[in-house]
Amino acid sequence: MLKWTQAGASPRRVVVTGMGLISPVGNNLQESWDSLLAGKSGGSQVTQFEATEEFPCRIGCEVKNFDPLDHFDKREARRHDRIAQFAIVAAAEALASSRLDTGSGSIDAERCGVLFGSGIGGIATFEEQHKKMLEKGPGRVSPFFIPMFIPDIAAGLISIRWGLRGPNYATVSACASSAHAIGNAMRHIRYGEADVMVAGGSEATITPMTYAGFSAMKAMSTRNDDPTGASRPFSSDRDGFVMGEGSGALVLEALEHAEARGAEILAEVVGYGISADAFHITAPPPDGYGAQQAMRTALEDVGMDASNVDYINAHGTSTMADAVETKAIKAVLGDRAYEIVVGSTKSMTGHLLGAAGVLEAIASIQVVRTGRIPPTINFQGPDEECDLEYAHGGVMQRDVEIALSNSFGFGGHNVCLAIRRWN
C-alpha cells in the first residue's frame, strides 16, 4: 500500500490530479469549460418551480438536461436530494479523471478522505417535507427527510460510495463553503493527516423559499426579461446576483503519493488564506479588509507577493460588493492590479452559493493549465469604482503562473486559494 506518514517532516506539497464539474453551462468539466471560453450564459427562466409574478426574481442559471436516472436507479434517486445527486456525479468524474483505483487495495482507504461544502443543504427536500407535514401531518414525513436535508450528506455519500475512510465532514460557510473545503483538505494532506482528499461542494437552491428569502433581501437581479444578460459583474448597471446550481469536485493528493502511482498532475494548490470581516451579517466592510487579509494570507502561505499574481477569479457576484472586492484587490496588489486580469465566471454560471468556490477554483486551474482566461460577459458600461481589466472583450490569452480564487460569504467569511501551474 502507498502510505506517506512522516512525523516531523516538512509540510507536503499538494497537487490536483482529478476534476469533475456539473454546472449551468455544462454537465461535465469539458462541456462547462468550453462554454465558459465561448462566453455562454446559463441564464434562463426558472423551470423548477412556478415562479409567478409574486416573485421579484424569476430567472436563474439551472443545470440543464440532467436526468438522475442516467446516474442512479429509481430507488437511489428518490433518496438523494438534488445536491447529493450533483455531488456524486461531480465526484465520479473527478475520481475517474484522477485514475485513482479506490477498490484495488493499492491505496490506504483510511488515508483518503472527503470534504464537501454546501451553504444551504437539501432545501428542496425541506420545503417538500414541510409542506407534507402541514397538509397531511407529521406521520407522513419521510424517514429519509433528515439524511436528504443535512448539508453534510454529500460528503458522507461520496465516502460510502468509494469506501474512503479518512477525514470526512462538510464545511458550511455560505458562499465560501466549497473554497473552505478545498483549503482544509489541502491542509489535511499538507500536514500528514491524509494522502488523498476529494474536496468540493454542491448546491441546488432554485426553490420558492430560497427565491423568496433572497428577493426579500433585494440581493437578486430582477431583470426577468433578460435572463442571459442579468448577471453583470463589475458593470455599472448591475442589480443583483442570479442564482445558479451545480457541483464541483477536486482530487487532491500529496505530491509524492501522486508521483508514486504515476498520476497526471493538473496543478498545485499552494496557498490558502482565510479571514472574517467581523462587520455585518451580509455586507462587506467598505474597504474590504477581510478580503484583503484573505488574499495576503494566501500569498504569505506560499511565500509570494503581489508581483507573482497573474490572474484573479473574483467573487464578482454582480452586486454592489463588486466595487469593494475591486478596492481590496488594489489594496493588496497595488499597481500590479492594473497589469493582471480579474475575471468573474459568475457572469455566465450565476452564483452557485456554497458550490461557487469549487467551480471557480476549477476555472482557475484551467486558466493556469491553458493560459486562456474566460470572458466576463454582459458588460454594459464602466463603473468608476471598478476600473481593472475584467476580460469584458472576450477570451484573453495570458501566461498565468499563479492564480488566486476568491470566495466570500454572508457572515463575513473570506477565502482565497492560490493555485500554481504545474511545470
Side-chain angles (χ1 to χ4, degrees), residues 31-368:
E31 184 182 352
S32 296
W33 179 240
D34 290 345
S35 294
L36 292 177
L37 292 178
K40 178 181 177 181
S41 171
S44 64
Q45 299 294 328
V46 167
T47 65
Q48 293 181 44
F49 68 93
E50 188 177 357
T52 65
E53 292 190 358
E54 292 180 300
F55 289 90
C57 177
R58 300 183 290 279
I59 56 177
C61 289
E62 299 180 332
V63 170
K64 299 160 187 69
N65 304 314
F66 176 75
D67 185 349
L69 297 182
D70 290 339
H71 308 277
F72 310 96
D73 62 36
K74 288 183 179 180
R75 182 181 182 187
E76 189 177 19
R78 284 196 305 268
R79 294 179 177 181
H80 294 337
D81 185 272
R82 195 168 168 90
I83 63 156
Q85 294 171 359
F86 288 163
I88 291 169
V89 169
E93 183 182 15
L95 285 162
S97 72
S98 77
R99 295 181 172 83
L100 188 74
D101 190 348
T102 59
S104 68
S106 62
I107 62 167
D108 186 348
E110 293 182 0
R111 297 187 55 77
C112 300
V114 184
L115 260 73
F116 236 73
S118 179
I120 295 179
I123 187 67
T125 294
F126 180 88
E127 291 182 32
E128 175 192 340
Q129 294 299 315
H130 184 251
K131 180 180 179 182
K132 185 178 290 187
M133 186 188 75
L134 293 179
E135 293 177 350
K136 299 181 180 181
R140 298 298 297 273
V141 170
S142 169
F144 294 99
F145 163 53
I146 296 299
M148 289 176 69
F149 165 62
I150 50 179
D152 67 298
I153 199 61
L157 289 170
I158 293 167
S159 167
I160 293 166
R161 196 177 193 93
W162 283 279
L164 308 178
R165 301 198 299 272
N168 183 275
Y169 58 95
T171 47
V172 181
S173 49
C175 307
S177 297
S178 55
H180 271 127
I182 295 167
N184 287 358
M186 178 194 76
R187 285 185 173 175
H188 283 301
I189 296 169
R190 178 185 278 182
Y191 298 113
E193 296 170 337
D195 298 324
V196 179
M197 295 292 296
V198 179
S202 188
E203 206 77 272
T205 49
I206 299 179
T207 72
M209 274 299 294
T210 309
Y211 268 59
F214 279 112
S215 293
M217 297 174 62
K218 302 189 184 305
M220 300 178 74
S221 174
T222 56
R223 286 195 169 87
N224 296 304
D225 60 343
D226 187 16
T228 61
S231 184
R232 303 178 179 186
F234 307 107
S235 186
S236 59
D237 60 346
R238 61 194 184 278
D239 73 328
F241 78 85
V242 177
M243 186 74 74
E245 63 173 358
S247 179
L250 298 177
V251 175
L252 303 178
E253 284 189 64
L255 173 59
E256 59 267 41
H257 189 278
E259 289 180 332
R261 68 181 188 87
E264 179 187 5
I265 295 172
L266 308 177
E268 184 177 6
V269 183
V270 291
Y272 177 38
I274 53 179
S275 70
D277 289 337
F279 177 74
H280 187 272
I281 56 173
T282 57
D287 61 357
Y289 58 73
Q292 292 183 41
Q293 182 183 345
M295 286 185 277
R296 287 194 179 102
T297 304
L299 290 173
E300 290 168 2
D301 196 29
V302 68
M304 293 186 177
D305 59 27
S307 66
N308 299 111
V309 179
D310 303 305
Y311 165 73
I312 296 178
N313 189 302
H315 190 55
T317 55
S318 186
T319 64
M320 291 303 104
D322 293 356
V324 175
E325 184 173 10
T326 297
K327 189 178 295 185
I329 290 169
K330 290 190 287 189
V332 174
L333 299 191
D335 292 342
R336 180 67 174 164
Y338 292 94
E339 300 171 2
I340 69 167
V341 181
V342 176
S344 176
T345 44
K346 287 186 179 75
S347 61
M348 294 169 278
T349 65
H351 192 356
L352 273 65
L353 304 185
V358 64
L359 186 157
E360 291 153 24
I362 288 172
S364 299
I365 291 166
Q366 291 290 81
V367 167
V368 300

